[in-house]
Amino acid sequence: MSLLREANGPTTVVRREDYAAPAYWIDTVELSFDLDPAKTRVLNKMRLRRNPDVAAQALRLDGEELNLARVLVNGAGCSFKMDGNQLVLENLPEGDAPFDLEIFTTCTPDKNTQLMGLYVSQGTFFTQCEAEGFRRITYFLDRPDVMASYTVTLRADKKRYPVLLSNGNLVEEGTLPDGRHFAKWVDPHKKPCYLFALVAGQLVVREQRITSRSGTNHLLQVYVRPGDMDKTEHAMNSLIASVVWDEARFGLPLDLERFMIVATSDFNMGAMENKGLNIFNTKYVLANSATATDTDFANIESVVGHEYFHNWTGNRITCRDWFQLSLKEGLTVFRDQEFSMDLCAEPSARAVKRIEDVRVLRTAQFPEDAGPMAHPVRPDQYVEINNFYTVTIYEKGAEVVRMMQTLVGRAGFAAGMKLYFARHDGQAVTCDDFAQAMADANPQSDLARLLPQFKRWYSQAGTPHLRAEGVFDTAARSYTLTFTQRCDPSPGQPAKQPFVIPVALGLLDASGTELPLQLAHWNQPEAGTRTFVLTEASETFTFVNVDSEPMPSILRGFSAPVVLEMDYTDVQLLGLLAFDTDSFNRWEAGQRLALRRALHAIKAQGPVPQDPLDAAYLAAMRAVLRHPALDAAFKELVLTLPSETYIAEQLDVVDPQRIHAVREAMREQLAHALHDDWIWAFEAHKDNGAYRPDPLGTGRRALAGLALTMLCLAARSNGNPVWPGKAYQRFKDACNMTDRFNALSALVVSGQALAPDALSRFHSMFRGEALVIDKWFALQAGAPDRGGNVLPTVRQLLAHPDFNLRNPNRARSVIFSYCSANPGGFHRADAAGYVFWSERVIELDGFNPQVAARLARALDRWKKLAEPYRSAAREAIARVAAKPDLSNDVREVVTRSLAD
Ligand code: TRP
Ligand code: ZN
């Protein structure tokens, strides 16, 4: 094992309050690489100067797993020492004049299994420098507030590495002796080192020239491995759409002559926004209708957009320190969400996107915010920064930005962005700077008025609970809504102050008509949705001229990332599901009805009830399914039950097996009770026309797929082979991956006898298509557990010739699909799931701590588990924690998990 670790040594905690400006600036960097997988030579010539604002001190450069050969100051040898991983230079020239520092090191890319720094994937060199990977390439001030101009020369064997890429513009290339060649790149923009990138290998490129609104010309390129060219069109189209959108919506143009995307199959995360040279996981680039699903197409569009939008929010304006990570990530997620919504022609498709985003937030971020790894959007401390690329930083961060837009309006938000760039372009700044620009650009807004309190969203962890109570007064013809907010303690934060919570609200009468809203002191009523901005622990609003008890539609569009507690009656929820003009709350009403029934059956004594659903619920679901005006994508969302994870979050004590059994019982009942409706839905939505990954087609395929699953589930108990047969036929005949995979999945999740045959056919059809084989693994590892059958399957999958633990996508497809996405299969009374988990965490940690630490989080919520799961989970975590040479990454996760 090549990782250098202090065995159980002291853990260094990095604190936000300890931020100090760097003692030196690095103005220019000239890097020369002699690329060789076994030994790459890196010559790093920097021009530095002392930071005049900071007391004179030694220069301390970060480095990791480097072999140091030479250090020259102004061309001459000099004294230096090592302090841990840092290279320390004490006797540098006095005064403010710039000086040259030259450092020569070597590293070993083909032994780099962490995929941080310079590594080799399938014979091609790639880099990943965020957050602290650059120090694995050369000694440097590896912190985002040090911004330099880069010139990069790459030298390599011409046959093996014909393509040589780095940031910026290619200024020179040519051949060298011994079959080698070189390329020299100059980046016209200053950047922090985490945005440095190089790529060298055999790649093919799809390119397109575009002209911007303002008339500038640009070359867009998507580089992939030979053979993958036919899967690049969608990524290129998404990139073009991103360029157009950022200029149209925010006036932010592409600032480079050349913009490149390169795909690699070995990548720890989704993608990386290196300046002008984005590096992507193949999963978020490669797609054609035969190999990728609608979900893949949609993910590619948003990840391509996300990385492109970072060019302004992240690269032009970057983070002062890593505590400010959400400055770029929350804002950029918000931007990619808005991008995907703006690409939707129909309002209903926008609502579908919003529902999907909220579903991610509530099933992944809310549990994080309530668990041992809870942290504020702007954390105060970390041990390993890689552990803080979280759903809180990204998704909750995006919700905080969205609330700002709600408070200042869309035009006000655009004005705030403008001021942010006017003030800070080219700088490394903080979350405070962003919020201040938003407020200053909108001086009359609630955001400006409430800014210090609003910023508690950055400093306080935890999900606020907002309780709403409505009282109708017949005599006074008034309706009073009282809101009370609370937020449970988080690690290190025993008490919380009230948040600013924008609540978008409407009232409907019993017949479903939207009522005009009028508070007692208003002169006249206002039609439609109004946003009320809560600031107090408790607040009351009284609406007048209300003739009968209304149905309140609260938190429309999910206007704040809170848990809304409202004791709706079933009648109210059925009314909202039928009539609400707000699509989000219409969907939410259906989810609340289902959740209420799930919780009732889970909490009941005795065996799991066979038919947990009542006639009213089933009739409401039938009405949605058959509704002539609603679109298919929305119907599919309404008819999908809340996930096991989401249900678990509503309980104080979690019995995962009971939750699984109840939800499965609900699904089967829905399958039987709506049998004829599912047949109709399948027949009416199964298209066989040309494939287009647009919202309309996507929605139709999703609903047809759900219908097919329901029909196969029903066939399980009625034994009728017709629908499994039809599913098998569709699996074979499908003309796109979405329909084919949905049919395969219908067979697998309903445990049909035809499933094994379909799986093996699928495997032979797509052998060699790595991303499709990932789906094949994931489907089996995530299948509903029947008598404990999933874990043995998972163990067999690990022994499959196509399995490779070193490839993160493949590891995730089996191990994460089982441990993190299959609660019914994972939480076993015999603890075997947890034993499996601890083995894999330890095994992965031996070569890729980042991926291991993500897996380590699968047991975050162990304290909520019922016995015997709780004790068994604690034991498994303790077993991992007891390992002597854990990475900082895994150690931080398991230590926090076990803390009191
Ligand atoms: N900045 C990247 C993004 O949001 C995230 C990222 C990619 C990353 N690779 C990483 C973060 C490796 C940490 C480590 O798009
Ligand atoms: Zn990002």
Side-chain angles (χ1 to χ4, degrees):
M1 208 202 48
S2 64
L3 302 184
L4 303 172
R5 284 174 197 161
E6 295 174 70
N8 282 341
T11 328
T12 320
V13 178
V14 186
R15 291 177 210 281
R16 184 167 61 88
E17 63 190 16
D18 291 344
Y19 173 82
Y24 294 82
W25 298 113
I26 303 177
D27 292 322
T28 61
V29 186
E30 269 180 64
L31 292 170
S32 309
F33 289 85
D34 280 296
L35 293 164
D36 182 327
K39 186 178 184 182
T40 288
R41 294 158 217 273
V42 182
L43 179 63
N44 169 9
K45 293 180 170 187
M46 295 170 273
R47 170 145 283 212
L48 291 89
R49 64 196 155 84
R50 289 183 194 269
N51 180 352
D53 301 336
V54 170
Q57 53 191 280
L59 173 63
R60 309 180 75 90
L61 299 173
D62 308 295
E64 210 177 280
E65 290 186 47
L66 299 172
N67 307 301
L68 179 60
R70 188 171 75 224
V71 183
L72 301 177
V73 173
N74 287 332
C78 67
S79 68
F80 62 87
K81 66 173 191 193
M82 298 304 302
D83 179 7
N85 273 337
Q86 290 189 325
L87 172 66
V88 184
L89 292 136
E90 273 163 340
N91 303 312
L92 290 167
E94 304 277 325
D96 288 348
F99 60 93
D100 292 325
L101 176 58
E102 183 176 319
I103 296 176
F104 188 68
T105 52
T106 66
C107 57
T108 320
D110 66 1
K111 293 265 164 60
N112 182 354
T113 58
Q114 297 185 37
L115 311 182
M116 292 298 286
L118 177 63
Y119 65 93
V120 180
S121 161
Q122 300 189 330
T124 297
F125 289 96
F126 290 94
T127 54
Q128 171 57 41
C129 294
E130 186 177 6
E132 297 178 336
F134 194 71
R135 64 186 62 184
R136 298 168 57 78
I137 296 175
T138 184
Y139 283 97
F140 208 74
L141 291 173
D142 191 356
R143 44 186 292 166
D145 56 353
V146 172
M147 297 170 84
S149 297
Y150 285 69
T151 301
V152 178
T153 304
L154 306 175
R155 289 186 284 265
D157 184 85
K158 187 167 182 171
K159 254 221 179 89
R160 290 173 68 191
Y161 311 103
V163 175
L164 303 174
L165 308 175
S166 190
N167 318 84
N169 297 314
L170 178 64
V171 297
E172 210 184 323
E173 58 186 332
T175 53
L176 296 168
D178 301 326
R180 294 175 75 78
H181 69 147
F182 77 95
K184 184 174 177 183
W185 293 80
V186 176
D187 190 341
H189 299 276
K190 285 197 153 207
K191 65 171 173 286
C193 66
Y194 82 87
L195 292 173
F196 165 81
L198 75 77
V199 174
Q202 284 174 26
L203 299 165
V204 292
V205 61
R206 169 188 290 264
E207 29 182 61
Q208 186 142 339
R209 285 173 199 284
I210 57 159
T211 306
S212 73
R213 288 188 155 199
S214 53
T216 51
N217 292 314
H218 311 269
L219 175 61
L220 307 182
Q221 298 181 307
V222 178
Y223 286 89
V224 296
R225 291 183 57 76
D228 283 335
M229 197 64 150
D230 63 338
K231 304 192 190 78
T232 53
E233 185 186 358
H234 181 64
M236 178 59 88
N237 288 342
S238 301
L239 179 57
I240 295 167
S242 305
V243 177
V244 170
W245 181 85
D246 216 5
E247 200 165 6
R249 170 107 182 235
F250 289 114
L252 298 172
L254 177 52
D255 61 0
L256 293 156
E257 287 163 39
R258 177 171 179 156
F259 190 91
M260 299 170 274
I261 286 177
V262 192
T264 171
S265 45
D266 295 283
F267 205 66
N268 284 347
M269 308 255 290
M272 179 62 212
E273 69 266 23
N274 317 300
K275 186 79 186 186
L277 181 55
N278 290 357
I279 297 180
F280 273 60
N281 188 323
T282 43
K283 185 175 165 57
Y284 297 109
V285 175
L286 302 180
N288 63 34
S289 61
T291 61
T293 61
D294 291 326
T295 306
D296 295 324
F297 276 86
N299 288 342
I300 289 167
E301 179 183 283
S302 52
V303 178
V304 167
H306 180 97
E307 306 311 329
Y308 177 77
F309 303 141
H310 267 316
N311 191 50
W312 282 94
T313 51
N315 301 3
R316 287 289 288 250
I317 303 185
T318 195
C319 302
R320 186 193 71 171
D321 55 67
W322 291 119
F323 299 103
Q324 317 299 328
L325 183 56
S326 197
L327 171 77
K328 74 177 177 81
E329 295 304 348
L331 176 55
T332 305
V333 170
F334 168 79
R335 277 153 52 70
D336 83 53
Q337 291 175 347
E338 290 286 290
F339 165 63
S340 295
M341 278 202 251
D342 287 352
L343 288 188
C344 299
E346 302 293 327
S348 62
R350 293 179 70 91
V352 163
K353 167 70 176 154
R354 180 66 184 143
I355 292 167
E356 289 167 347
D357 290 341
V358 172
R359 218 164 43 171
V360 170
L361 185 83
R362 294 205 299 207
T363 50
Q365 198 279 325
F366 282 17
E368 176 167 276
D369 232 350
M373 283 295 287
H375 53 278
V377 168
R378 182 192 54 214
D380 293 312
Q381 56 178 70
Y382 59 76
V383 171
E384 173 51 64
I385 185 56
N386 285 329
N387 286 334
F388 287 80
Y389 286 76
T390 61
V391 273
T392 298
I393 303 294
Y394 280 67
E395 267 69 29
K396 187 177 181 179
E399 293 300 318
V400 173
V401 174
R402 186 172 295 285
M403 285 189 287
M404 293 193 203
Q405 178 172 261
T406 301
L407 292 173
V408 302
R410 224 169 125 120
F413 188 83
M417 288 285 281
K418 225 176 151 188
L419 183 59
Y420 176 58
F421 286 105
R423 281 184 183 171
H424 300 299
D425 191 11
Q427 299 174 6
V429 306
T430 64
C431 297
D432 283 331
D433 294 321
F434 178 76
Q436 195 64 52
M438 261 310 142
D440 290 350
N442 297 279
Q444 305 303 324
S445 67
D446 286 332
L447 180 65
R449 183 169 61 86
L450 301 168
L451 188 62
Q453 185 182 356
F454 182 84
K455 289 201 295 189
R456 288 178 190 158
W457 285 109
Y458 284 106
S459 60
Q460 297 188 150
T463 307
H465 286 237
L466 183 63
R467 206 176 152 73
E469 268 165 303
V471 176
F472 177 63
D473 184 330
T474 319
R477 292 177 59 236
S478 70
Y479 183 67
T480 301
L481 266 176
T482 300
F483 292 99
T484 315
Q485 56 165 301
R486 69 175 168 87
C487 185
D488 291 340
S490 310
Q493 296 187 333
K496 315 279 174 73
Q497 301 292 307
F499 290 87
V500 174
I501 302 178
V503 178
L505 182 85
L507 299 178
L508 279 71
D509 73 13
S511 69
T513 309
E514 186 103 19
L515 295 171
L517 299 180
Q518 186 170 15
L519 289 181
H521 63 276
W522 290 0
N523 297 329
Q524 50 182 28
E526 306 236 358
T529 304
R530 290 273 309 195
T531 300
F532 297 88
V533 181
L534 309 182
T535 57
E536 309 287 329
S538 182
E539 269 167 90
T540 296
F541 299 88
T542 298
F543 297 93
V544 295
N545 297 329
V546 185
D547 288 323
S548 60
E549 168 136 32
M551 302 187 286
S553 173
I554 305 172
L555 213 67
R556 284 183 157 174
F558 201 67
S559 58
V562 301
V563 175
L564 175 64
E565 297 171 352
M566 168 84 187
D567 297 329
Y568 283 110
T569 63
D570 264 15
V571 172
Q572 286 177 318
L573 290 175
L574 291 165
L576 290 169
L577 175 61
F579 303 118
D580 202 336
T581 52
D582 182 72
S583 299
F584 178 85
N585 269 359
R586 202 168 178 181
W587 168 78
E588 175 75 337
Q591 296 291 296
R592 281 178 188 268
L593 286 165
L595 188 61
R596 180 171 292 178
R597 281 147 184 82
L599 295 177
H600 181 78
I602 290 162
K603 290 174 181 168
Q605 300 295 315
V608 169
Q610 257 221 319
D611 291 322
L613 303 174
D614 53 290
Y617 175 81
L618 292 167
M621 288 299 122
R622 180 177 294 116
V624 170
L625 187 53
R626 294 275 192 171
H627 201 287
L630 292 173
D631 64 39
F634 181 77
K635 291 179 179 183
E636 195 269 340
L637 290 172
V638 172
L639 282 137
T640 299
L641 296 170
S643 69
E644 289 172 34
T645 312
Y646 186 65
I647 296 169
E649 277 309 302
Q650 322 301 316
L651 293 159
D652 295 326
V653 179
V654 171
D655 177 345
Q657 290 305 330
R658 185 150 180 113
I659 294 175
H660 178 66
V662 165
R663 188 173 182 276
E664 287 300 292
M666 289 167 72
R667 252 170 28 122
E668 289 209 18
Q669 195 186 350
L670 208 46
H672 285 291
L674 271 56
H675 197 263
D676 291 349
D677 311 282
W678 291 121
I679 294 177
W680 167 81
F682 179 72
E683 299 294 349
H685 295 90
K686 66 166 191 353
D687 298 313
N688 280 312
Y691 174 85
R692 286 191 51 207
D694 56 5
L696 190 72
T698 297
R700 293 177 63 84
R701 283 184 289 274
L703 188 57
L706 178 64
L708 198 53
T709 296
M710 287 301 187
L711 292 163
C712 287
L713 275 177
R716 261 174 73 74
S717 39
N718 67 25
N720 186 335
V722 169
W723 282 100
K726 287 196 185 193
Y728 191 78
Q729 197 60 41
R730 187 159 177 82
F731 159 72
K732 286 196 293 186
D733 298 345
C735 39
N736 61 71
M737 178 53 85
T738 306
D739 288 336
R740 193 186 305 282
F741 193 76
N742 282 345
L744 176 65
S745 165
L747 292 170
V748 171
V749 304
S750 61
Q752 297 298 336
L754 290 166
D757 180 57
L759 279 166
S760 78
R761 266 177 186 258
F762 187 82
H763 185 273
S764 36
M765 259 187 242
F766 294 102
R767 78 174 74 240
E769 293 284 1
L771 296 170
V772 182
I773 298 302
D774 286 339
K775 295 183 200 301
W776 180 83
F777 277 108
L779 178 61
Q780 297 174 74
D785 199 67
R786 301 216 158 80
N789 65 335
V790 179
L791 181 57
T793 303
V794 165
R795 289 205 181 265
Q796 275 172 24
L797 291 174
L798 292 194
H800 191 279
D802 289 345
F803 185 76
N804 171 12
L805 190 67
R806 307 242 158 182
N807 175 255
N809 286 357
R810 194 54 54 84
R812 284 187 278 257
S813 73
V814 180
I815 301 169
F816 288 57
S817 298
Y818 175 63
C819 298
S820 308
N822 191 349
F826 179 56
H827 296 277
R828 295 167 55 113
D830 66 2
Y834 306 153
V835 171
F836 174 83
W837 166 87
S838 61
E839 290 165 358
R840 300 289 83 71
V841 171
I842 291 167
E843 193 178 5
L844 280 164
D845 199 39
F847 58 89
N848 190 330
Q850 234 181 93
V851 172
R854 296 233 166 228
L855 179 61
R857 299 205 43 197
L859 276 176
D860 260 18
R861 302 295 274 140
W862 68 272
K863 281 184 184 165
K864 281 183 77 145
L865 294 171
E867 293 296 353
Y869 309 102
R870 188 175 192 274
S871 300
R874 192 212 296 115
E875 235 176 85
I877 303 165
R879 214 162 28 243
V880 173
K883 273 283 283 171
D885 56 354
L886 288 179
S887 65
N888 269 337
D889 310 55
V890 169
R891 185 143 34 95
E892 180 173 34
V893 171
V894 293
T895 307
R896 284 179 70 140
S897 191
L898 291 172
D900 54 300

